[in-house]
Structure formats: C-alpha cells, structure tokens
Amino acid sequence: MKIYKNKKLFQVLVVCFILSVSFLLLLYFLTTKGIYIQIGTPPNGIHHYFLNCLLIFFTFLSGIYLIHYKFNDKGLTIIAIGISSFISVFVLLYGLMTLEAKYTKFSSPNKQENFVVIETGHGEVYQLLNTGLFMTHLTDIRTDDGFKPFSDGAYQLEWKKTNELLVKYVFDYMSPENYHEVTVTYKSTQIDE
C-alpha cells in the first residue's frame, strides 16, 4: 500500500485523534457519575450512545491512519484495522439493541422536572435537564424476560415528599397484579428566588 505523506492531513488527524480520545474519556468519566451527554431529548435528538459510537469511529479511523503514516508497515496497519473492526462489531451489536428501545416520558406534578424511562432488555430511569444536553441516571428497572412495563402502561407513579418519587411497576406480564417498587430521589431544577 503506497502512502502519500501529507503533513497538514497528519496534523489534522493527530488533533482529531487527541480530541476523540479526550472526549471519550470525558464521556466515560461522566457516565461513571450517572451523567449522560446528549443532544436533544430522547427519543428525538442524538442519544449519548450514538455520540460514543461516533467518537469511537473517529478514534479508530484517525488512529489507523496515524499508525500507517508513522510506521508505513502493512502488517501493523492490518493488525490495527483488525482490532478496530473487532471492537466495532461489539459496539454496533450493542447499538442495535438500543434501536428497539421504548421511551416513556413523564413530568413532576409541578411540571418543573422531566423524566424519561428507556427500556431495552431492562429499564433505566433518567432525569432530563431543561437544556436537553444532559440526563442523569436515577435507577434501573429489572423485569422478568425483558418485559417493558412502562411502554405497556403497567406502572404507577407516586410523588412523595420533595424530590422523591415512588415508582411501582409490573415485574412479569403473567402476573399483572404483582408490582415491584423503587424509590427515586431526584434533584430539583427549579431555581429558588
């Protein structure tokens, strides 16, 4: 494989690689704190998983080119492409699971706080920030055999004291009277004056 060395392209790809890795590390750090960056509110907009996939793609693409450019070794380039492809397959397979996600939105009684439940094989409850750029993970909802109680309307919400919500949901569609409960504490987005 013949390579034409273009110094400006090399510099752009170095910057792209550094920024991609930096943003991936930032997103990972925020995810460990239960904060997910997104553009717009689910199901519309760009989901945090898509942003991660995009950054992984740019990291691999720029990384492969940098390896090839710097070492000009066909074997090393093929190994980099193989490793990138292997990881990409797992990322894409997980991404296919999120395509069939069901979204249920609801708001607090005062309409100040907004929430979304994202159901794939299990449910996750998030609090949406008013800007639409972040959502905070509140709790997971586990059910039997991947049942999606929120999209099926098999749930109840009880607003308790300030910033506390009791979520009741059906665990198994075969037992619609058998509710599980989880108490969620959320942050108030209302600004005190």
Side-chain angles (χ1 to χ4, degrees), residues 129-141:
L129 268 64
N130 294 335
T131 61
L133 293 177
F134 299 98
M135 61 185 183
T136 305
H137 181 265
L138 299 176
T139 191
D140 289 329
I141 303 291

Side-chain angles (χ1 to χ4, degrees), residues 9 33 49 61 72 77 80 90-91 95 101 122 144 162-163 183:
L9 179 61
K33 302 294 182 192
Y49 184 77
L61 188 64
N72 200 15
T77 303
F90 284 107
V91 169
H122 69 285
D144 189 36
T162 306
N163 299 351
T183 301

Side-chain angles (χ1 to χ4, degrees), residues 25-95:
L25 291 174
L26 175 65
L27 290 178
Y28 175 75
F29 174 75
L30 290 173
T31 300
T32 62
K33 302 294 182 192
I35 300 170
Y36 297 85
I37 294 179
Q38 63 194 25
I39 300 173
T41 57
N44 305 320
I46 300 174
H47 195 268
H48 64 90
Y49 184 77
F50 181 76
L51 290 173
N52 282 336
C53 289
L54 198 59
L55 289 170
I56 289 170
F57 174 75
F58 281 124
T59 301
F60 286 157
L61 188 64
S62 58
I64 289 168
Y65 183 81
L66 291 174
I67 287 170
H68 186 69
Y69 183 92
K70 198 68 178 162
F71 299 106
N72 200 15
D73 182 358
K74 196 179 216 180
L76 198 55
T77 303
I78 290 172
I79 290 171
I81 290 171
I83 291 171
S84 298
S85 300
F86 183 74
I87 294 171
S88 296
V89 166
F90 284 107
V91 169
L92 289 174
L93 287 176
Y94 182 76

Side-chain angles (χ1 to χ4, degrees), residues 158-173:
E158 287 183 28
W159 301 92
K160 298 289 186 183
K161 58 185 179 183
T162 306
N163 299 351
E164 197 171 274
L165 166 64
L166 177 66
V167 179
K168 297 180 180 181
Y169 61 94
V170 173
F171 179 76
D172 181 5
Y173 72 94

